[in-house]
Amino acid sequence: MSSLLHITNGDSLTDRLRSLNLKGDIITWREMLCEGKTLTTVGSESFWKTRFEFLNKNYKVSKSWFIEKTLKEYRSLCNHKQQDEIVLWFEYDLFCQINMLAVISWLKTHRKYAKISLVSCGKEDKTYKMYGFDELKNDYIMDLFEKRVELKQDDIEYADYVWQLYCSDNPIRLENLSDFDNYRFDYLSGAITAHLKRFPTIKNGLNELENHILELSVDKKPKSKKELLTTVISDQGLYGFGDTQIDRIITTLKPLYHSFNPVRLTKKGKEILEAQTSYYACIQDNDAYLGGALKYNYLYNTESNRILKL
């Protein structure tokens, strides 16, 4: 009888799997590598130091919290050396897919002989809605588990390669990937496209999601910042961001808001949204990283869907 180790995308899924009495131990991957600087060497001292500095600066994560929540789980992963099969539970969105790449990269180095399989969810229904694990019934989750996909060595190498590109200082190499269909990652192509659209657009210096937040602010006329937050979370496409992440993006856009109660843009905010002027004069965090690349060193051309280096 083979022994299993499950690696999940978050605490709620871990609790859910425990309630289903799945065989094997469960590790929760508590990171959000889709944000801030990342290094290729997942799990190294410099990797965790870089991550802590980002989370501490931008999310006020304390050292004790980071050690307790993230590093303890990582050390637990390091101590699980005997399992024959490692089952990865990650969803379709950017948040999950980037974490998945990092975990596979780590496994490639540290668990060379383990069988790695993937339980993924996201299949669209007739309304083109994608589903997360928390929206699925227990029997459906068990069905996904039974139908999990075993990754071949080629898949593992590919995930590691995409992770290296994500951590490089030049996103143009990521953009040139065109062979996603040859590997067992149904949602990776969409996630990488979403990632590339996080670089500022040529038209106004804001990226796709930032522009969308301004649009929702005008179109939906939210009565408060909280209402805006809820609206963005339910209408963010493939990003998969949580409350704190969306709140941080809205906060960076604060100079473009006249008020948040009700939500109203300034004259400048409206001009930027209408691409009459650019956001570049308002930028406060010039050293913002997306993976290994500096966000404001590149521009996204929405006409050609290509990245340009500044």
Side-chain angles (χ1 to χ4, degrees):
M1 186 79 180
S2 67
S3 56
L4 298 174
L5 174 66
H6 304 272
I7 303 177
T8 74
N9 67 345
D11 290 289
S12 63
L13 181 59
T14 294
D15 294 341
R16 188 90 180 271
L17 296 187
R18 288 208 171 107
S19 75
L20 293 173
N21 293 321
L22 274 182
K23 286 191 169 59
D25 293 337
I26 307 174
I27 301 277
T28 311
W29 185 258
R30 290 197 191 99
E31 246 291 8
M32 49 181 204
L33 299 171
C34 59
E35 267 203 84
K37 190 173 186 183
T38 56
L39 305 182
T40 55
T41 50
V42 181
S44 67
E45 201 174 320
S46 53
F47 174 87
W48 289 124
K49 183 173 182 286
T50 301
R51 293 306 300 160
F52 172 69
E53 283 168 359
F54 166 75
L55 293 166
N56 177 256
K57 178 187 169 188
N58 295 285
Y59 289 98
K60 306 292 179 273
V61 169
S62 68
K63 204 163 206 169
S64 58
W65 192 98
F66 188 68
I67 290 167
E68 186 61 37
K69 295 291 184 184
T70 301
L71 289 186
K72 270 196 179 171
E73 280 296 279
Y74 171 69
R75 284 172 192 146
S76 179
L77 172 61
C78 295
N79 293 332
H80 281 79
K81 296 177 180 172
Q82 305 308 320
Q83 280 83 1
D84 308 313
E85 183 182 353
I86 297 166
V87 186
L88 307 180
W89 296 76
F90 288 96
E91 295 179 7
Y92 61 90
D93 53 56
L94 174 73
F95 187 106
C96 271
Q97 293 288 301
I98 299 300
N99 282 341
M100 177 193 76
L101 292 176
V103 171
I104 294 173
S105 177
W106 185 87
L107 292 171
K108 175 180 175 275
T109 307
H110 300 280
R111 296 291 179 271
K112 280 190 170 66
Y113 304 105
K115 174 176 158 183
I116 302 170
S117 57
L118 187 60
V119 180
S120 58
C121 72
K123 289 272 187 285
E124 296 173 358
D125 63 13
K126 288 171 187 164
T127 64
Y128 298 104
K129 176 175 164 40
M130 304 279 266
Y131 288 94
F133 287 119
D134 60 343
E135 297 171 283
L136 303 176
K137 292 194 164 95
N138 287 346
D139 54 355
Y140 196 82
I141 286 182
M142 292 305 289
D143 190 46
L144 287 175
F145 172 63
E146 294 302 333
K147 290 177 180 166
R148 64 193 181 278
V149 174
E150 185 180 343
L151 300 182
K152 294 194 160 62
Q153 192 56 35
D154 280 0
D155 300 314
I156 294 164
E157 301 278 351
Y158 187 69
D160 178 56
Y161 175 61
V162 180
W163 172 250
Q164 308 295 322
L165 294 187
Y166 178 79
C167 297
S168 80
D169 61 3
N170 186 352
I172 293 169
R173 291 168 64 206
L174 254 189
E175 178 186 69
N176 291 329
L177 284 174
S178 58
D179 52 353
F180 292 105
D181 292 346
N182 300 337
Y183 302 94
R184 288 169 174 76
F185 303 108
D186 293 348
Y187 305 112
L188 191 53
S189 172
I192 294 302
T193 300
H195 165 60
L196 294 171
K197 288 180 177 179
R198 294 192 295 166
F199 289 93
T201 59
I202 291 173
K203 64 177 185 178
N204 67 358
L206 290 176
N207 67 23
E208 180 188 66
L209 186 54
E210 290 159 347
N211 272 305
H212 190 49
I213 290 170
L214 294 192
E215 282 163 11
L216 291 172
S217 298
V218 172
D219 297 345
K220 301 291 183 187
K221 299 184 171 53
K223 293 181 178 63
S224 63
K225 187 179 178 185
K226 191 178 177 186
E227 195 177 309
L228 174 61
L229 188 70
T230 310
T231 307
V232 176
I233 283 185
S234 63
D235 189 15
Q236 60 172 307
L238 288 176
Y239 292 102
F241 292 163
D243 295 25
T244 49
Q245 289 174 289
I246 298 289
D247 186 60
R248 179 170 165 255
I249 298 168
I250 293 171
T251 302
T252 62
L253 296 173
K254 201 175 170 187
L256 308 184
Y257 284 88
H258 175 66
S259 78
F260 281 119
N261 200 10
V263 174
R264 295 285 180 271
L265 295 184
T266 60
K267 182 169 176 283
K268 178 94 181 241
K270 287 174 186 163
E271 286 170 354
I272 289 171
L273 180 57
E274 288 158 14
Q276 293 168 8
T277 184
S278 175
Y279 177 69
Y280 269 80
C282 308
I283 292 165
Q284 296 158 324
D285 187 9
N286 232 339
D287 62 346
Y289 274 89
L290 297 171
L294 280 163
K295 177 178 175 180
Y296 293 106
N297 276 7
Y298 296 88
L299 285 173
Y300 188 81
N301 184 340
T302 48
E303 304 287 314
S304 64
N305 294 323
R306 302 294 286 178
I307 294 259
L308 305 168
K309 186 164 181 14
L310 267 182

